[in-house]
């Protein structure tokens, strides 16, 4: 058997950051190897050190406060030439960055310059690293746009980043990264906020290009389901250290470390129902020793035991659904339309519309969770916003407890808003950065005159913080002092402050780590049980919607493709569009991994 050639060796790397509280050991003594032609997946939660590892390799960490304490990153340019990327000068590093090592970042919008066209930015990269004319660089860019399957490459060349969808912007970034045929491509969470269908095409694209130009890939993600689709080997990181590494089959078939087990277990299952999802603390306890190092103690429970503990029998699901049929409708959507003018004639009359929602009808019963699922642009978020009168409806009815929301005067609507709340996708933009979170939660209570005085409202807020698994001391802290999962909990507490009967969750877990996502989903389930909430749960991730929902509404291009009981739609989808959504979900099954690896042999 041919011996594998090393491309990149990370040896005892330590990358630290100076902070007011001392040294933050973002990467703490890690070692792994990337071989030519393979894909290595680095997986872990936010803060595990996976992105810092690769930013160190690219020499892109901010200095100060970041610095490499010790270790080496050896790049094998050829059998006779090995360079330590940590030790070479900035000028030498510029020769390797782009030519030999390229990186696709998580958020393409912040990586692309908004004042230049997409084509100009790729041309600039090519001319910076290669001795070619502008005409040749433009031709190469159009070829790359075709290679990454962008529709109408000439139009895309002249388009600005804001004119492209998220998936298209990510393809531009891939084209830019591949423009100089790098030996190593680092993909840092390139599919995190994308629809499952777009994610699948991006994963396939990266894998096909890897084979075509014989490049190696480091694929960073928090989702082991995605790793199962693309990786040959896996490196699992936790709080700056590598806790496990091996082939993708070894890690999925017999994970050794409790943290790896938890990452595998906390994804919503597709084949059966669970009352709650396992989380990291179900598998291990973390404490500090005298030196301040993390000490991990594994708990006795196995994945199978936890699944058995939380498993919901089909007859229990059936009983819940039968009970819900006895309840009255809290919400009735009848022939709802939301149209936006797109073109006008010479006299200013509208000649054409964008039909964001086009004549849809469905209902939500008291205490029920209805999932709205579909790709970006299908109309699911517009539906949620129209229900709350945050987007103007063009026609139809929205009946909440029999009253048409669209006919209510502002004072009546204001009163109704106490009972209808929304949890948005991005918790950071939902919170005022200058307002302590306690005040942010208290604000709607003050506005609606809930509570006799400030002291009573503060006591209620402290109780709410405890309800969402936060602490009283968090009352005076600001949003930037919290993690993404904690910020989402604060937004949930704010939505609960008015004791609503109905809550819309709009992509409220899509940007979270799978482990944090599991915690937030469990919280929403617990709150539904405790307060008898009614939810509309909006997401592009069908596995999450299936876990949360009793019934499911599948939307496409402003219309409803199909709706019904969530389990039945997953097991027996009627429409091709629904089948496409289901097939795109990263399932992480051992049989799928074996099948994929056999294709490589």
């Amino acid at each position: 058997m041919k011996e594998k050639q090393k491309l990149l060796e990370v040896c005892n790397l330590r990358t630290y950051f100076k902070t007011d509280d001392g040294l933050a050991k973002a990467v703490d003594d890690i070692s792994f190897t990337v071989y030519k032609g393979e894909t290595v997946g680095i997986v872990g939660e936010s803060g595990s050190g996976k992105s810092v590892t690769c930013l160190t390799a690219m020499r892109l960490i901010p200095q100060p406060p970041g610095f490499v304490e010790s270790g080496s990153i050896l790049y094998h340019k050829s059998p006779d030439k090995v360079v330590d990327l940590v030790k070479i000068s900035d000028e030498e590093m510029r020769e390797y960055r782009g030519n030999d090592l390229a990186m696709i970042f998580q958020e393409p919008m912040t990586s692309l310059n908004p004042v230049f066209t997409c084509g100009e930015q790729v041309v600039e990269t090519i001319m910076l690293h290669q001795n070619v004319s502008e005409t040749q660089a433009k031709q190469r860019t159009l070829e790359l746009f075709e290679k990454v399957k962008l529709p109408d490459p000439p139009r895309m060349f002249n388009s600005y980043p804001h004119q492209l969808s998220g998936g298209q912007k990510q393809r531009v970034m891939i084209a830019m990264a591949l423009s100089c045929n790098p030996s190593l491509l680092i993909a840092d969470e390139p599919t995190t906020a994308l629809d499952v269908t777009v994610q699948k095409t991006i994963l396939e694209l990266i894998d096909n290009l890897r084979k075509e130009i014989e490049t190696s890939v480091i694929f960073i993600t928090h989702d082991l389901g995605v790793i199962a689709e693309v990786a040959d080997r896996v490196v699992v990181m936790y709080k700056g250290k590598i806790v496990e590494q091996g082939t993708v089959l070894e890690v999925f078939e017999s994970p050794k470390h409790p943290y790896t087990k938890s990452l595998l277990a906390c994804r919503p299952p597709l084949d059966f129902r669970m009352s709650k999802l396992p989380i990291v603390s179900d598998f291990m306890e973390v404490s500090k020793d005298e030196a301040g190092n993390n000490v991990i103690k594994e708990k006795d429970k196995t994945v199978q035991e936890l699944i058995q503990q939380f498993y919901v029998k089909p007859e229990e699901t059936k009983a819940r659904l039968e009970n819900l049929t006895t309840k009255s409708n809290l919400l009735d959507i009848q022939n709802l339309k939301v149209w936006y003018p797109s073109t006008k004639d010479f006299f200013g009359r509208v000649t054409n519309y964008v039909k964001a929602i086009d004549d849809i009808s469905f209902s939500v019963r008291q205490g029920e969770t209805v999932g709205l699922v579909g790709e970006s642009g299908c109309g699911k978020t517009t539906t949620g916003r129209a229900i709350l009168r945050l987007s103007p409806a063009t026609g139809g009815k929205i009946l909440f407890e029999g009253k048409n929301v669209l006919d209510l005067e502002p004072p009546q609507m204001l009163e109704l808003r106490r009972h209808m709340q929304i949890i948005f996708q991005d918790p950071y933009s939902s919170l005022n950065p200058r307002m302590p979170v306690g005040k942010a939660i208290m604000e709607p209570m003050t506005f609606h005159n809930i509570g006799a005085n400030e002291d009573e409202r503060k006591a209620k807020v402290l109780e709410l913080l405890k309800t969402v698994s936060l602490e009283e001391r968090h009352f005076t802290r600001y949003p930037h002092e919290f993690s993404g999962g904690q910020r989402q909990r604060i937004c949930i507490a704010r939505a609960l402050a008015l004791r609503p009967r109905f809550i819309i969750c709009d992509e409220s877990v899509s940007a979270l780590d799978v482990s944090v996502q599991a915690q937030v989903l469990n919280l929403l389930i617990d709150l539904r049980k405790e307060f008898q909430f009614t939810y509309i749960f909006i997401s592009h991730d069908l596995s999450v919607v299936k876990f949360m929902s009793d019934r499911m509404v599948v939307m496409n291009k402003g219309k409803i493709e199909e709706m019904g009981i969530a389990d039945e739609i997953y097991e027996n989808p009627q429409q091709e569009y629904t089948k496409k959504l289901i097939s795109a979900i990263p399932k992480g099954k051992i049989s799928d991994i074996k099948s994929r690896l056999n294709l490589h042999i």
Side-chain angles (χ1 to χ4, degrees):
M1 189 175 173
K2 188 180 176 183
E3 188 179 349
K4 292 192 288 186
Q5 289 180 278
K6 291 178 180 177
L7 182 70
L8 194 78
E9 283 183 276
V10 177
C11 308
N12 305 110
L13 182 67
R14 290 182 171 90
T15 302
Y16 296 170
F17 289 82
K18 291 176 182 174
T19 71
D20 294 339
D21 300 322
L23 283 181
K25 298 179 179 181
V27 174
D28 194 15
D29 193 19
I30 69 165
S31 301
F32 66 93
T33 304
V34 180
Y35 295 96
K36 286 191 176 179
E38 76 168 353
T39 298
V40 173
I42 303 181
V43 69
E45 297 171 286
S46 297
S48 63
K50 55 190 190 298
S51 291
V52 174
T53 300
C54 293
L55 288 170
T56 305
M58 294 290 289
R59 292 273 290 273
L60 291 174
I61 61 163
Q63 297 182 14
F67 65 98
V68 177
E69 170 68 18
S70 62
S72 58
I73 301 174
L74 304 177
Y75 171 59
H76 295 251
K77 185 170 177 65
S78 68
D80 305 321
K81 186 173 183 181
V82 180
V83 293
D84 187 347
L85 299 177
V86 171
K87 293 189 171 65
I88 59 175
S89 68
D90 289 344
E91 193 176 341
E92 286 176 291
M93 187 63 210
R94 278 194 288 273
E95 289 295 314
Y96 289 103
R97 194 190 299 126
N99 276 325
D100 296 82
L101 298 93
M103 192 163 182
I104 307 165
F105 294 95
Q106 178 174 353
E107 180 43 70
M109 196 62 200
T110 57
S111 305
L112 292 168
N113 191 324
V115 300
F116 291 102
T117 67
C118 296
E120 286 171 339
Q121 295 182 60
V122 180
V123 165
E124 182 187 27
T125 304
I126 294 170
M127 293 184 69
L128 184 68
H129 291 285
Q130 295 182 14
N131 186 25
V132 294
S133 67
E134 189 174 342
T135 305
Q136 289 171 314
K138 182 175 179 179
Q139 185 58 39
R140 169 79 174 138
T141 301
L142 291 169
E143 288 169 7
L144 284 163
F145 280 6
E146 201 164 316
K147 190 175 280 188
V148 299
K149 295 182 171 57
L150 276 168
D152 193 358
R155 182 172 65 84
M156 290 289 143
F157 186 97
N158 294 311
S159 297
Y160 290 88
H162 73 273
Q163 296 175 299
L164 275 60
S165 69
Q168 288 171 340
K169 283 195 283 275
Q170 201 58 282
R171 287 167 192 264
V172 172
M173 288 300 300
I174 293 169
M176 192 183 293
L178 296 173
S179 59
C180 299
N181 290 333
S183 302
L184 177 66
L185 177 65
I186 298 171
D188 185 7
E189 302 263 19
T191 61
T192 295
L194 301 180
D195 298 331
V196 284
T197 47
V198 179
Q199 173 179 271
K200 186 179 181 182
T201 58
I202 294 291
L203 294 178
E204 288 173 350
L205 174 64
I206 290 172
D207 200 46
N208 290 336
L209 292 170
R210 174 185 68 83
K211 295 171 196 168
E212 189 180 325
I213 65 174
E214 297 181 333
T215 191
S216 300
V217 177
I218 293 178
F219 198 100
I220 301 170
T221 182
H222 59 257
D223 190 345
L224 271 165
V226 169
I227 288 293
E229 303 275 315
V230 295
D232 299 301
R233 287 188 304 111
V234 185
V235 174
V236 183
M237 292 189 70
Y238 178 72
K239 295 193 175 176
K241 291 187 177 289
I242 291 175
V243 294
E244 184 166 355
Q245 58 179 308
T247 67
V248 65
L249 199 55
E250 288 168 351
V251 170
F252 274 77
E253 271 194 318
S254 54
K256 303 290 188 293
H257 197 275
Y259 181 65
T260 313
K261 293 174 186 175
S262 70
L263 288 181
L264 286 165
C266 64
R267 280 183 57 79
L270 289 162
D271 303 332
F272 53 89
R273 274 202 176 264
M274 294 174 74
S275 59
K276 63 185 291 189
L277 296 169
I279 57 176
V280 174
S281 60
D282 290 322
F283 293 89
M284 65 189 209
E285 286 178 359
V286 183
S287 58
K288 298 277 187 184
D289 61 15
E290 291 178 0
N293 298 313
N294 291 314
V295 178
I296 295 170
K297 182 185 176 186
E298 185 171 1
K299 292 186 176 178
D300 295 333
K301 284 190 176 177
T302 64
V303 174
Q304 287 71 28
E305 286 171 336
L306 283 166
I307 287 173
Q308 197 171 356
Q309 181 184 336
F310 302 140
Y311 177 72
V312 176
K313 295 175 183 175
E315 50 266 35
E316 293 177 273
T317 303
K318 188 180 177 185
R320 173 174 165 79
L321 290 169
E322 285 175 354
N323 181 49
L324 285 169
T325 58
T326 65
K327 303 287 177 71
S328 59
N329 288 345
L330 183 72
L331 186 75
D332 263 310
I333 312 291
Q334 297 176 4
N335 308 106
L336 181 64
K337 296 176 183 176
V338 178
W339 294 4
Y340 297 106
S342 61
T343 55
K344 295 181 180 181
D345 63 14
F346 178 78
F347 299 102
R349 292 174 299 205
V350 178
T351 56
N352 208 356
Y353 291 90
V354 173
K355 298 179 180 180
I357 303 172
D358 192 19
D359 195 18
I360 68 168
S361 302
F362 67 93
S363 60
V364 186
R365 299 186 184 99
Q366 298 267 3
E368 184 181 32
T369 300
V370 170
L372 288 187
V373 69
E375 296 172 291
S376 295
C378 70
K380 56 189 188 298
T381 292
T382 307
T383 301
R385 292 178 64 86
I387 291 167
L388 296 174
R389 290 261 300 262
L390 298 176
S391 289
T394 309
K397 292 182 179 179
I398 300 168
L399 303 176
F400 185 82
E401 295 184 321
K403 294 178 183 174
N404 189 357
V405 173
L406 302 179
D407 292 341
L408 297 180
E409 295 297 323
Q412 297 169 300
M413 193 63 216
L414 188 66
E415 175 59 29
L416 187 63
R417 287 197 192 282
R418 284 185 57 178
H419 309 297
M420 305 167 76
Q421 288 291 301
I422 186 167
I423 304 165
F424 292 102
Q425 178 173 356
D426 182 3
Y428 197 72
S429 61
S430 308
L431 295 166
N432 187 332
R434 295 188 180 92
M435 187 182 286
V437 300
K439 294 283 185 185
I441 297 168
M442 198 189 295
E443 187 181 35
M445 297 168 70
T446 305
F447 186 81
H448 286 280
N449 296 315
I450 293 173
N453 51 48
E454 286 291 294
D455 290 341
E456 193 175 307
R457 284 191 276 269
K458 183 176 179 180
K460 180 62 182 169
V461 171
L462 294 174
E463 187 185 316
L464 282 169
L465 287 171
K466 200 182 291 183
T467 301
V468 297
S469 303
L470 293 171
E471 298 173 29
E472 289 187 3
R473 62 189 174 88
H474 292 141
F475 184 95
T476 55
R477 293 194 178 176
Y478 289 85
H480 73 271
E481 297 179 81
F482 295 90
S483 68
Q486 287 174 320
R487 282 197 287 266
Q488 199 58 283
R489 288 167 185 273
I490 292 161
C491 290
I492 292 170
R494 196 170 193 261
L496 297 179
L498 299 176
R499 278 294 176 91
R501 294 198 292 278
F502 172 68
I503 298 177
I504 295 174
C505 302
D506 184 11
E507 298 273 16
S508 51
V509 296
S510 65
L512 302 178
D513 294 333
V514 284
S515 51
V516 179
Q517 174 182 280
Q519 294 173 31
V520 173
L521 292 176
N522 288 345
L523 173 63
L524 292 170
I525 291 281
D526 291 341
L527 292 170
R528 183 179 70 183
K529 201 179 295 181
E530 184 178 349
F531 300 109
Q532 301 301 306
F533 285 138
T534 302
Y535 289 131
I536 283 183
F537 196 91
I538 299 170
S539 179
H540 61 256
D541 188 339
L542 202 138
S543 62
V544 171
V545 171
K546 181 182 175 293
F547 170 75
M548 284 293 300
S549 306
D550 301 299
R551 287 187 300 128
M552 194 187 295
V553 176
V554 182
M555 293 188 68
N556 181 25
K557 295 178 181 176
K559 291 184 176 289
I560 292 174
E561 285 278 334
E562 64 180 300
M563 59 178 156
I565 294 167
D567 291 355
E568 289 179 1
I569 284 183
Y570 176 74
E571 288 161 15
N572 187 27
Q574 300 301 305
Q575 303 299 320
E576 283 304 315
Y577 178 76
T578 313
K579 291 174 185 175
K580 185 178 82 166
L581 284 182
I582 292 169
S583 67
I585 302 168
K587 298 172 180 66
K589 288 184 177 179
I590 304 294
S591 56
D592 293 341
I593 295 170
K594 285 181 177 176
S595 173
R596 177 175 69 83
L597 293 175
N598 285 337
L599 293 175
H600 286 225
I601 294 170

